């Protein structure tokens, strides 16, 4: 197989699997990947429709495998990017107080360590509503966000954050370099793994970064995903599931070096990878330490994904059984957080409005619509409180502490939370 044919293989079309079987080419290195996880037909996870307007929903085969050479865990089919990320992309990073603090801390670190020279400049790929760049803007440091969501960019502008509305790639990077000069830091949180055509990101970074600058990527960590059976971290937007090993391989392939890696608690466990041009920075010992841990745990292997698959099936079976039993007993169940993650959980488990009567979510853009594929109505958080349901399925489990603290009254009145990670349980 050659990289040349790989673009066509990975684009979703009805015949793709029958023509190419369950093998395809790695989007990073062109070696062979094999299908190991199969979630069946899934909708676009952030494409929320009105209840009467679901006929145009787009579905694709959500399948994941691992590259036999660079070990990158990746999806088999690529959803066209405009279907996932467009002006109406409803996700707003700043809905969580914890995430706000996380991004303030990240910005403050950059200000103190990388942006302390003369007239520094930082670019963020996937800047959403500007939650990280608000702190940078407040410190009067030159910045530019790049994000395809015009609505999110409008919110960023209200907070003094400048955004180029569009996708990041070589052309955009060249234009930014001409208009603003080189960037000392290029930062991207939970975005690089969304981009199948990754070579374009790296050539953009190569064009825009100063000689001694850093490209800092944060993303959900494969080790935590497998270790905690986070089955719902696999959905259209998470095209790649990064590990320290696969990111190091990817960086090397595109002329960069992984010089630091830092575990983060957000989203159930993430890593912050610091990449620099080859030879421009000393590699810190954290890289070797986390690589050694990965080898010991065997997470970059086919066997790890096979184990993950059987744990996923167990979670699905236990959750469906529990929910059906509770409904048969006449209990009311509501979902909490119309997360993109929940698209995989709800559709893979076949959970619909007969089981979960509605999902509440604080994002105005999602309220009044239905969950993708499973068509459960989405309501404002007020609906959660009058009256409280007997049980709540915590779909936004990565914000568990924040939500449980906010909804303490629910538990005080006897309400119980249903969780499905790391395994199915009630609290
Ligand atoms: P995320 O898991 O991708 O960060 O999405 C979290 C979703 O949960 C988002 O739609 C906002 C929603 N949410 C609430 O409804 N209430 C909350 O308190 C929090 C933290 C999130
Ligand atoms: Zn590969």
């Amino acid at each position: 197989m050659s990289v040349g044919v790989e673009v066509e293989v990975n684009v979703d079309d009805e015949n793709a699997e029958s023509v190419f079987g369950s093998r395809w080419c790695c989007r990073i290195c062109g070696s062979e990947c094999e299908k190991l996880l199969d979630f069946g037909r899934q909708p676009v996870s952030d494409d929320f429709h009105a209840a009467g307007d679901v006929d145009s929903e787009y579905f694709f085969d959500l399948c994941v495998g691992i590259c036999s050479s660079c070990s990158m865990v990746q999806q088999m089919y690529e959803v066209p990017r405009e279907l996932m990320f467009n002006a109406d992309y409803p996700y707003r990073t700043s809905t969580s107080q914890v995430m706000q603090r996380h991004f303030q801390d990240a910005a403050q670190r950059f200000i103190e360590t990388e942006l302390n020279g003369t007239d520094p400049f930082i670019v963020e790929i996937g800047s959403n509503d500007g939650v990280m760049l608000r702190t940078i803007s407040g410190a009067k440091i030159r910045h530019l966000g790049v994000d395809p969501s015009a609505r999110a960019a409008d919110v960023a502008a209200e907070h003094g954050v400048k955004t180029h509305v569009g996708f990041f790639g070589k052309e955009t990077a060249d234009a930014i370099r001409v208009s603003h000069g080189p960037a000392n830091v290029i930062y991207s949180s939970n975005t690089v793994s969304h981009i199948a055509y990754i070579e374009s990101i790296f050539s953009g970074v190569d064009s825009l970064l100063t000689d001694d600058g850093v490209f800092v990527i944060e993303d959900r960590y494969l080790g935590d995903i497998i270790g905690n059976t986070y089955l719902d971290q696999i959905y259209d937007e998470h095209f790649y599931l990064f590990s320290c090993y696969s990111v190091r391989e990817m960086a090397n392939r595109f002329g960069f070096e992984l010089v630091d890696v830092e575990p983060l608690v957000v989203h159930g466990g993430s890593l912050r990878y610091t990449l620099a041009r080859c030879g421009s920075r000393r590699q810190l010992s954290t890289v070797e330490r986390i690589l050694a841990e990965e080898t010991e745990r065997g997470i970059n292997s086919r066997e790890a994904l096979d184990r993950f698959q059987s744990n996923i099936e167990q979670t699905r079976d236990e959750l469906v059984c529990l929910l059906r039993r509770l409904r048969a007993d006449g209990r009311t169940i509501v979902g909490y957080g119309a997360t993109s993650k929940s698209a995989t959980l709800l559709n893979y488990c076949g959970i619909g409005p007969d089981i979960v009567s509605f999902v509440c979510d604080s994002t105005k853009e999602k309220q009044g619509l239905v969950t993708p594929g499973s068509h459960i109505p989405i309501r404002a958080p007020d609906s959660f409180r009058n009256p409280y349901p007997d049980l709540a399925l915590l779909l936004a489990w990565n914000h568990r502490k924040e939500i449980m603290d906010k909804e303490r009254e629910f538990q005080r009145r006897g309400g119980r939370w249903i969780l499905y990670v790391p395994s199915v349980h009630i609290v």
Side-chain angles (χ1 to χ4, degrees), residues 237-412:
E237 295 174 14
H238 293 176
F239 189 83
Y240 298 107
L241 301 179
F242 289 158
S243 70
C244 189
Y245 182 85
S246 62
V247 167
R248 186 189 65 169
E249 294 299 293
M250 174 173 77
N252 292 347
R253 186 161 188 92
F254 296 110
F256 288 82
E257 221 173 347
L258 178 62
V259 294
D260 192 12
V261 59
E262 179 190 351
L264 304 170
V265 293
V266 294
H267 294 302
S270 301
L271 288 184
R272 176 182 286 153
Y273 306 93
T274 301
L275 277 53
R277 295 184 190 279
C278 289
S280 70
R281 300 234 176 175
R282 193 170 55 84
Q283 188 189 77
L284 300 183
S285 57
T286 46
V287 176
E288 286 305 327
R289 184 172 60 74
I290 292 185
L291 285 172
E293 263 174 39
E294 289 187 354
T295 306
E296 200 180 310
R297 291 179 59 198
I299 64 157
N300 296 294
S301 68
R302 189 206 152 108
E303 292 69 32
L305 286 185
D306 284 338
R307 273 197 309 278
F308 186 32
Q309 172 75 46
S310 53
N311 291 339
I312 287 171
E313 285 166 9
Q314 185 177 344
T315 292
R316 178 194 59 193
D317 297 347
E318 286 179 14
L319 181 63
V320 170
C321 180
L322 173 69
L323 295 174
R324 290 217 178 113
R325 186 163 52 75
L326 290 166
R327 289 295 293 134
D329 288 347
R331 309 292 194 86
T332 52
I333 308 171
V334 155
Y336 205 108
T339 58
S340 23
K341 289 189 288 302
S342 64
T344 296
L345 185 91
L346 298 171
N347 289 284
Y348 177 64
C349 296
I351 300 168
D354 54 325
I355 296 179
V356 168
S357 42
F358 66 89
V359 177
C360 65
D361 196 288
S362 58
T363 315
K364 292 213 164 41
E365 287 80 352
K366 298 180 185 177
Q367 294 164 8
L369 304 176
V370 296
T371 55
S374 49
H375 306 158
I376 304 173
I378 302 168
R379 299 193 186 147
D382 287 355
S383 315
F384 183 63
R385 293 164 204 136
N386 56 58
Y388 280 115
D390 296 320
L391 296 117
L393 178 62
L394 187 54
L395 298 165
W397 51 260
N398 47 323
H399 303 293
R400 172 183 175 151
K401 184 169 184 319
E402 183 170 350
I403 291 173
M404 286 191 182
D405 283 353
K406 191 167 20 184
E407 303 292 358
R408 233 178 258 137
E409 186 61 14
F410 166 59
Q411 269 177 303
R412 211 186 58 75

